[in-house]
Amino acid sequence: MVVDYWSVERYRFGLVIGCGALVAWFTPYPLVIMLLVLLGYIGWMLQKLYQLQRWLTNGQKPEEMPDSDGAWEQIAYLFHKSQQKSAERKRKQQELLTRFDNVLSALPDAAVLLDADNHIQWANKSAAKLLGVQDAADRGKRIDTLLRNPDLHKLLEENSERKVTFPSPRNSNLTLRARLLPLQGGSRVLSVRDISEGVQLQKTRKAFIANASHELRTPLTVLTGYIELFEQDPELPEYLFGPLQQSREQAARMQQIISDMLALSRLESQETTPLMGNRIDVPAMLESSIQAIRDTLASDTHHLETQIEPDLCVCGSEKDINSVITNLLANAVKHTPVGTIIRIHWESTDDGQACLSIIDNGPGIPEKHLPHLTERFYRVDEGRSRASGGTGLGLAIVKHVMQWHNGKLTITSKPGNTEFKACFPAKRVLD
């Protein structure tokens, strides 16, 4: 049943006015009596209002709730009910925050909550283990004063989501990878993961490939020498000519694979960007490489067109830049059909970069393969790549050379137009 509390107030007010009027009727001063009655009613209302105010300021304790009826009862009840709901919400939020804190504390990744000015608002237990950041002791401090790493400072200044790698300030044997995750209001979470195991596995893999390549070189050289001796023997039976020729070709292919693997291992082991290096006459290097391709791989099969800026040179490693040119040229010839037109452009861009573009009008490369072309041993066409003598390492070498020279390799393709573009940054360009 719904109670109409204001009807109680109206009834009470009417009763007071009626009783006051009745008393005033039998007295010689009716107006004074009515005024006194109204003042008494107003005083009673003020007393109820005072009791309600005292109860609200004292914490709305249930046992101290004002005893009343009518609208005052409803007001007190609604305040009390609102206070109970608020307390329940706070309790649930606290439970949720406690569970969230327990989950984040149990994570192996470090998590540090930062405000817009990089002050630490909260940190989990892994942050103390990996970074030395203590939630209670370091709260309110700037994280860039606790973690003095240039790469991390640059990440905080850029406020980007890229990843940076740096050694742990608590243990130099640990390698950490950090990234920033933006939140509302300018807050961010610095997420840091221990990648030491992956780094060690990568180093082990690189060392194994390098060592295996070195060890394979000697026996392969011996085998190649014996094959050449057999081929030069005048008494060699005719039926062995074909097998020996195939053996020599496969041995040469294995030597090329080993050379490429060693080159790739060397590039991957170079963790820092090289110095500016020597002046490289790229136009002369291109002319020499293009002529060699015309005389060998592209002889009577492909048409090569050139557009080369004669004075555009760069600084870097001559050996590595030459490998970029030869690998891109050989790749364009080996993986396009006979009759393909290949355009070689070496030119500067509006932003000062120097770019080598190898463009062909072949059938193109399916889009799903483009992100994987620079992976080791990745082949779009397994059979044709083997038949053409490719090692599957050329584009991987090109990518690492360009990264080592602060440049970039981009690949775009559609039927009738495939472009491999290697661009060197403006700081390496010489006029």
Side-chain angles (χ1 to χ4, degrees), residues 11-25:
Y11 172 77
R12 179 182 291 140
F13 180 72
L15 182 62
V16 169
I17 293 298
C19 292
L22 183 63
V23 174
W25 178 264

Side-chain angles (χ1 to χ4, degrees), residues 278-345:
N278 301 320
R279 179 187 180 93
I280 310 300
D281 189 352
V282 179
M285 189 180 293
L286 276 169
E287 294 291 351
S288 175
S289 299
I290 291 170
Q291 188 58 47
I293 288 289
R294 282 191 175 123
D295 294 339
T296 54
L297 291 176
S299 177
D300 301 324
T301 59
H302 293 68
H303 179 66
L304 275 58
E305 299 177 353
T306 61
Q307 183 178 324
I308 300 173
E309 290 188 23
D311 300 322
L312 183 59
C313 301
V314 297
C315 288
S317 167
E318 181 175 357
K319 175 183 176 182
D320 292 329
I321 294 176
N322 186 59
S323 73
V324 170
I325 295 172
T326 54
N327 275 302
L328 288 180
L329 287 174
N331 183 74
V333 175
K334 290 178 180 178
H335 302 295
T336 54
V338 174
T340 299
I341 298 175
I342 299 174
R343 302 191 304 276
I344 301 101
H345 294 175

Side-chain angles (χ1 to χ4, degrees), residues 87-99:
E88 181 66 17
R89 283 196 300 269
K90 290 180 180 179
R91 184 185 65 81
K92 290 182 178 179
Q93 289 175 355
Q94 187 60 44
E95 289 179 354
L96 184 62
L97 288 174
T98 301
R99 290 199 298 269

Side-chain angles (χ1 to χ4, degrees), residues 11 15 39 41 57 68 70 79 85 110-111 141 165 197 212-213 255 273 282 291 295 308 317 378 408 414 426:
Y11 172 77
L15 182 62
L39 288 176
Y41 182 76
T57 55
S68 183
F79 269 116
K85 289 182 178 180
K141 297 180 181 178
T165 303
E197 184 176 351
S213 300
Q255 286 180 328
T273 300
V282 179
Q291 188 58 47
D295 294 339
I308 300 173
S317 167
Y378 188 83
K408 186 177 181 181
K414 61 182 180 180

Side-chain angles (χ1 to χ4, degrees), residues 89-376:
R89 283 196 300 269
K90 290 180 180 179
R91 184 185 65 81
K92 290 182 178 179
Q93 289 175 355
Q94 187 60 44
E95 289 179 354
L96 184 62
L97 288 174
T98 301
R99 290 199 298 269
F100 182 69
D101 183 73
N102 291 337
V103 170
L104 289 180
S105 297
L107 290 176
D109 295 351
V112 182
L113 179 63
L114 306 173
D115 64 11
D117 296 321
N118 296 327
H119 292 100
I120 299 173
Q121 303 295 305
W122 175 88
N124 66 353
K125 293 179 180 178
S126 295
K129 179 181 177 181
L130 298 178
L131 303 173
V133 176
Q134 303 285 343
D135 179 34
D138 297 327
R139 187 173 295 186
K141 297 180 181 178
R142 289 180 61 94
I143 193 167
D144 46 8
T145 63
L146 300 177
L147 304 177
R148 301 185 180 275
N149 182 272
D151 293 333
L152 185 59
H153 289 184
K154 188 175 180 180
L155 176 67
L156 294 171
E157 291 174 2
E158 294 175 353
N159 197 25
S160 64
E161 295 188 37
R162 68 181 182 90
K163 299 177 182 179
V164 298
T165 303
F166 61 97
S168 169
R170 294 293 303 275
N171 186 348
S172 59
N173 294 324
L174 297 181
T175 302
L176 307 179
R177 176 170 292 166
R179 65 178 299 187
L180 279 175
L181 305 175
L183 301 176
Q184 292 181 347
S187 298
R188 298 167 295 171
V189 173
L190 178 65
S191 177
V192 181
R193 174 168 296 182
D194 181 6
I195 60 170
S196 305
E197 184 176 351
V199 170
Q200 186 59 42
L201 288 174
Q202 187 76 350
K203 289 181 178 178
T204 302
R205 180 185 65 81
K206 292 178 181 178
F208 170 77
I209 292 175
N211 293 334
S213 300
H214 278 292
E215 293 298 326
L216 287 172
R217 254 185 168 178
T218 300
L220 189 58
T221 302
V222 174
L223 289 173
T224 302
Y226 279 120
I227 292 172
E228 291 176 354
L229 285 176
F230 288 143
E231 286 183 322
Q232 295 171 3
D233 187 352
E235 299 181 2
L236 181 70
E238 185 177 351
Y239 69 90
L240 291 179
F241 286 163
L244 282 176
Q245 183 180 4
Q246 291 181 3
S247 299
R248 178 169 51 80
E249 291 173 353
Q250 291 302 317
R253 182 169 177 272
M254 288 182 65
Q255 286 180 328
Q256 185 60 50
I257 292 175
I258 290 172
S259 297
D260 286 350
M261 289 176 66
L262 288 172
L264 194 55
S265 296
R266 175 180 61 83
L267 290 167
E268 288 181 334
S269 64
Q270 295 172 155
E271 298 179 354
T272 57
T273 300
L275 300 176
M276 295 306 293
N278 301 320
R279 179 187 180 93
I280 310 300
D281 189 352
V282 179
M285 189 180 293
L286 276 169
E287 294 291 351
S288 175
S289 299
I290 291 170
Q291 188 58 47
I293 288 289
R294 282 191 175 123
D295 294 339
T296 54
L297 291 176
S299 177
D300 301 324
T301 59
H302 293 68
H303 179 66
L304 275 58
E305 299 177 353
T306 61
Q307 183 178 324
I308 300 173
E309 290 188 23
D311 300 322
L312 183 59
C313 301
V314 297
C315 288
S317 167
E318 181 175 357
K319 175 183 176 182
D320 292 329
I321 294 176
N322 186 59
S323 73
V324 170
I325 295 172
T326 54
N327 275 302
L328 288 180
L329 287 174
N331 183 74
V333 175
K334 290 178 180 178
H335 302 295
T336 54
V338 174
T340 299
I341 298 175
I342 299 174
R343 302 191 304 276
I344 301 101
H345 294 175
W346 172 247
E347 54 195 1
S348 57
T349 62
D350 294 337
D351 57 358
Q353 296 186 87
C355 294
L356 172 63
S357 300
I358 310 295
I359 309 165
D360 67 71
N361 64 344
I365 304 169
E367 186 177 356
K368 65 178 181 180
H369 295 296
L370 294 180
H372 307 288
L373 290 179
T374 56
E375 296 176 2
R376 293 167 176 258

